[in-house]
Amino acid sequence: MVKIGILGYGNLGRGVEAAIKKNSDMQLVAVYTRRDPAALSINTEGVAVKSTAALDTGKEDIDVLVICGGSATDLPEMTPKYAAMYNVIDSFDTHARVPEHFANVDKASKAAGKIGIISCGWDPGMFSVSRVYAHAVLPDGKDYTFWGKGVSQGHSDAVRRIEGVVDARQYTVPVPAALESVRNGENPTLTTREKHTRECFVVAEEGADLAKIENEIKTMPNYFSDYDTTVTFISAEEMKKNHSGLPHGGSVIYSGESSDGVKHVIEYSLKLDSNPEFTGSVLVAYARAAARLNAEGASGAKTVFDIAPAYLCAQSGEELRAHLL
Amino acid sequence: MVKIGILGYGNLGRGVEAAIKKNSDMQLVAVYTRRDPAALSINTEGVAVKSTAALDTGKEDIDVLVICGGSATDLPEMTPKYAAMYNVIDSFDTHARVPEHFANVDKASKAAGKIGIISCGWDPGMFSVSRVYAHAVLPDGKDYTFWGKGVSQGHSDAVRRIEGVVDARQYTVPVPAALESVRNGENPTLTTREKHTRECFVVAEEGADLAKIENEIKTMPNYFSDYDTTVTFISAEEMKKNHSGLPHGGSVIYSGESSDGVKHVIEYSLKLDSNPEFTGSVLVAYARAAARLNAEGASGAKTVFDIAPAYLCAQSGEELRAHLL
């Protein structure tokens, strides 16, 4: 059994917890929280809930610590810190800061003789893997990534921070004409606006100035101003009934040539009922790899690019070759 | 530069040759043939064409030998033979005999301190990789593979062997309703007939009994009798004009749950202008991996499951993390 600790019990932590139940060789042994452990009730019976202070001893009996924190401030600090004591894995997704984060985790985990896997989920994660395989096989080509239709939690949060907004859900939606052109291997040049639209569903305070809220959303820099955005005001009941899930998905589409005029289109796509549960499932598969790699004596920071697919599976090489090759 | 030798100069050998030209770190140094080398003209200037006898010395100056032979009789003999002397790679695709082939190549390449990669292409190959990632991430699920629309060379050959047939091309076509059901995550149970149809285009000899040919095709065991098959007789000119390419493709679709009722659908699909050129492109990417793994001191048989994606790419780990993660 691979003994797993989860650090952080939000949507993603619960996604990891759910995924562990689907893997008979994995065992959740503890959830670590910065909140009061006594006040936290989790979905798995018989599993300890502890303060993160327990981790600081470096003595917790876990094979891999899955760190479920935010990329902005939590992970840059937490992952290197715990990589110095445990095999760790995170879903760090701030692309621009990956080199720095990788270097910090690499230094800590190498010194400790542990494995630290960073940026694991679906993007970065499975989408990154798809991009690398496609570029490797057809170096003369171009990749496109489309997200959605799905809920962007960051954009939903941004709308929620607007005055007069009680609740909000933002869906990112690929533009069908752009998808079609890319799927046809036309290698179009696409602006941000041509690739995705944004649909916002908003519950406003009674008496709020709806036109003002709509304008604030549509003109918000970085988040919305470069997109065609629609805003629909709904009731709290409708929000709960129709928008309580966190579905997501998208496609990596690669179009390349093997010789002049001989084209190939590769597409990897995901339709996910729950973004955090799928991300948690990816983390659990790579946690298995972290434990195995470390048992073989490997150490240091890794990404999905550095790990052979067989390490992710509970089955033996013989079984994989017999049934999945 | 990774120095490549190609053994066998049919469609696949020419596909490998084309792919090498798209990889600036790879160099074709020789083509080996069982035919008379003097009678073989290849598409790359300045490259030696040699008899396979030259390989038997074990002294050829190549980093990897790409073996482009048939799975029925060539590869079971050739790959272990040359694995005892060189790093080798093949596209062995007889699923039932993979364990035996793997064992034979493993023994020879381990003894020689070389790498032998077997069953590399798109199925087995990239499709196998997709199946393993999906099963690893969502162990509670099911995979479906659809092939086509594309030319099956084995089925085309089977039709050509019928008396009165001058030329034939067979397309494998997925049944749209089956594809749709699987994409919707319905996890249907599908018979062979429900998954694919087969379309045959046939040039018959003048005066041949067309009804008899059509009946022979449709009732041919293993190849056609389990499928809904259509037969269309065409002229030699139409065959040349509309059916001279070898396009193919297909999809691996995986549907699984991360917790009760929470579903995810993963799809990997290919649309290929040329089956042999794409297969050749995959072989070249894995040939790079074979050279690197061997340079690191690794030996023995490997499949796509055993090789981390980063090994396939010319770029460094830093470059991959910066641009593709």
Side-chain angles (χ1 to χ4, degrees):
Chain A
M1 297 293 275
V2 181
K3 286 175 280 185
I4 302 288
I6 295 173
L7 170 49
Y9 197 71
N11 283 329
L12 182 55
R14 287 191 296 273
V16 172
E17 179 185 32
I20 290 171
K21 293 180 184 167
K22 291 286 188 184
N23 287 272
S24 57
D25 62 328
M26 316 283 284
Q27 183 191 1
L28 176 61
V29 296
V31 169
Y32 301 92
T33 179
R34 289 178 289 188
R35 296 179 261 175
D36 173 12
L40 182 65
S41 156
I42 67 169
N43 294 328
T44 312
E45 271 185 42
V47 167
V49 178
K50 301 183 179 186
S51 160
T52 52
L55 285 170
D56 296 349
T57 62
K59 298 274 169 68
E60 289 294 289
D61 183 22
I62 53 177
D63 295 313
V64 186
L65 180 66
V66 183
I67 308 182
C68 302
S71 293
T73 55
D74 293 339
L75 298 177
E77 184 232 325
M78 284 178 171
T79 310
K81 174 179 172 180
Y82 294 112
M85 297 179 254
Y86 305 98
N87 295 313
V88 296
I89 180 166
D90 75 20
S91 57
F92 186 76
D93 67 358
T94 311
H95 280 80
R97 294 186 63 192
V98 162
E100 174 192 348
H101 189 56
F102 185 88
N104 291 340
V105 174
D106 194 49
K107 192 178 166 193
S109 55
K110 271 205 182 117
K114 300 290 181 184
I115 291 283
I117 301 176
I118 67 159
S119 303
C120 200
W122 59 276
D123 196 9
M126 304 312 294
F127 273 16
S128 321
V129 162
S130 301
R131 286 188 282 263
V132 159
Y133 277 112
H135 278 273
V137 169
L138 298 172
D140 182 8
K142 194 171 169 185
D143 67 84
Y144 295 82
T145 302
F146 291 92
W147 295 275
K149 182 181 176 174
V151 174
S152 165
Q153 296 177 68
H155 285 75
S156 300
D157 290 344
V159 175
R160 269 187 220 107
R161 285 191 293 265
I162 293 174
E163 200 189 320
V165 171
V166 175
D167 198 3
R169 201 73 82 253
Q170 194 269 183
Y171 294 91
T172 304
V173 186
V175 173
L179 263 177
E180 196 188 325
S181 170
V182 171
R183 282 190 180 131
N184 287 340
E186 294 163 13
N187 277 5
T189 302
L190 297 166
T191 63
T192 299
R193 193 177 298 276
E194 286 167 338
K195 282 185 76 185
H196 296 93
T197 52
R198 298 196 177 277
E199 297 176 359
C200 301
F201 294 87
V202 178
V203 180
E205 282 172 11
E206 238 187 271
D209 181 343
L210 302 189
K212 184 163 173 279
I213 290 173
E214 180 166 344
N215 184 61
E216 267 197 63
I217 295 172
K218 290 184 171 177
T219 58
M220 195 186 293
N222 301 319
Y223 285 87
F224 293 100
S225 61
D226 293 337
Y227 297 85
D228 289 338
T229 301
T230 58
V231 177
T232 307
F233 291 95
I234 60 174
S235 67
E237 293 70 40
E238 193 182 333
M239 177 66 78
K240 193 174 174 189
K241 182 165 166 247
N242 296 333
H243 305 282
S244 62
L246 292 169
H248 218 314
S251 298
V252 172
I253 309 177
Y254 189 90
S255 167
E257 288 192 351
S258 54
S259 63
D260 287 354
V262 180
K263 282 196 174 189
H264 311 283
V265 178
I266 304 171
E267 177 165 354
Y268 178 81
S269 67
L270 296 172
K271 276 190 297 184
L272 311 176
D273 269 3
S274 161
N275 183 353
E277 283 200 16
F278 189 79
T279 302
S281 299
V282 177
L283 284 166
V284 167
Y286 278 91
R288 177 185 290 118
R292 286 189 182 170
L293 285 164
N294 192 242
E296 288 179 8
S299 67
K302 308 274 176 199
T303 71
V304 292
F305 299 153
D306 307 308
I307 296 170
Y311 279 97
L312 309 178
C313 290
Q315 296 97 313
S316 69
E318 287 78 4
E319 289 174 298
L320 294 179
R321 286 192 295 275
H323 302 298
L324 298 177
L325 195 66
Chain B
M1 296 294 274
V2 181
K3 286 175 281 183
I4 302 289
I6 296 174
L7 170 49
Y9 197 72
N11 284 330
L12 182 56
R14 288 192 296 274
V16 172
E17 180 185 30
I20 290 170
K21 293 180 183 167
K22 291 287 188 184
N23 288 271
S24 57
D25 62 329
M26 315 283 284
Q27 184 190 1
L28 177 61
V29 297
V31 169
Y32 302 92
T33 178
R34 290 177 289 188
R35 296 180 262 175
D36 172 13
L40 183 64
S41 157
I42 67 168
N43 295 329
T44 313
E45 271 185 42
V47 167
V49 178
K50 301 182 178 185
S51 158
T52 52
L55 285 169
D56 296 350
T57 62
K59 298 276 169 67
E60 289 294 288
D61 183 24
I62 52 176
D63 295 313
V64 186
L65 180 66
V66 184
I67 307 181
C68 302
S71 293
T73 56
D74 294 339
L75 298 177
E77 184 231 325
M78 285 178 170
T79 310
K81 174 180 172 180
Y82 294 112
M85 298 178 253
Y86 305 98
N87 295 314
V88 296
I89 179 166
D90 76 20
S91 58
F92 185 77
D93 67 358
T94 311
H95 281 79
R97 297 186 62 192
V98 162
E100 174 193 347
H101 189 56
F102 185 89
N104 292 340
V105 174
D106 194 48
K107 193 178 166 194
S109 55
K110 271 205 182 116
K114 299 290 181 186
I115 291 283
I117 301 177
I118 67 160
S119 302
C120 199
W122 58 276
D123 196 9
M126 303 313 293
F127 272 16
S128 321
V129 162
S130 300
R131 286 188 282 263
V132 159
Y133 276 112
H135 277 274
V137 170
L138 297 173
D140 182 8
K142 193 171 170 186
D143 68 84
Y144 294 82
T145 302
F146 291 92
W147 295 277
K149 181 180 177 175
V151 174
S152 165
Q153 296 178 69
H155 285 75
S156 300
D157 290 344
V159 175
R160 269 186 221 107
R161 286 192 292 265
I162 293 174
E163 200 189 321
V165 170
V166 175
D167 198 4
R169 200 74 82 252
Q170 194 269 184
Y171 294 90
T172 305
V173 186
V175 174
L179 263 177
E180 196 189 326
S181 169
V182 171
R183 282 190 179 131
N184 288 339
E186 293 164 13
N187 277 4
T189 301
L190 297 166
T191 63
T192 298
R193 193 177 298 273
E194 287 168 335
K195 281 185 75 185
H196 297 93
T197 52
R198 298 197 178 276
E199 296 177 359
C200 301
F201 294 87
V202 179
V203 180
E205 282 173 12
E206 236 187 274
D209 183 341
L210 303 188
K212 184 164 172 279
I213 291 173
E214 179 166 344
N215 184 60
E216 270 197 61
I217 295 171
K218 289 185 170 175
T219 58
M220 196 186 294
N222 301 319
Y223 286 86
F224 293 101
S225 62
D226 293 337
Y227 298 85
D228 289 338
T229 302
T230 58
V231 177
T232 307
F233 292 96
I234 60 175
S235 67
E237 293 69 41
E238 193 182 336
M239 178 66 79
K240 194 173 171 187
K241 183 166 165 249
N242 296 333
H243 304 282
S244 62
L246 292 169
H248 218 312
S251 298
V252 173
I253 309 177
Y254 189 91
S255 167
E257 288 192 350
S258 53
S259 63
D260 287 353
V262 180
K263 282 196 172 189
H264 311 283
V265 178
I266 304 171
E267 176 165 355
Y268 178 82
S269 67
L270 295 172
K271 276 190 299 185
L272 311 176
D273 270 3
S274 161
N275 183 353
E277 284 200 15
F278 189 79
T279 303
S281 299
V282 178
L283 283 166
V284 168
Y286 278 92
R288 178 184 288 119
R292 286 191 182 167
L293 285 163
N294 192 241
E296 289 179 7
S299 67
K302 309 275 176 197
T303 72
V304 292
F305 299 153
D306 306 309
I307 296 171
Y311 279 97
L312 309 176
C313 290
Q315 297 97 312
S316 69
E318 287 78 6
E319 288 174 298
L320 295 179
R321 287 191 295 275
H323 301 298
L324 297 177
L325 195 65

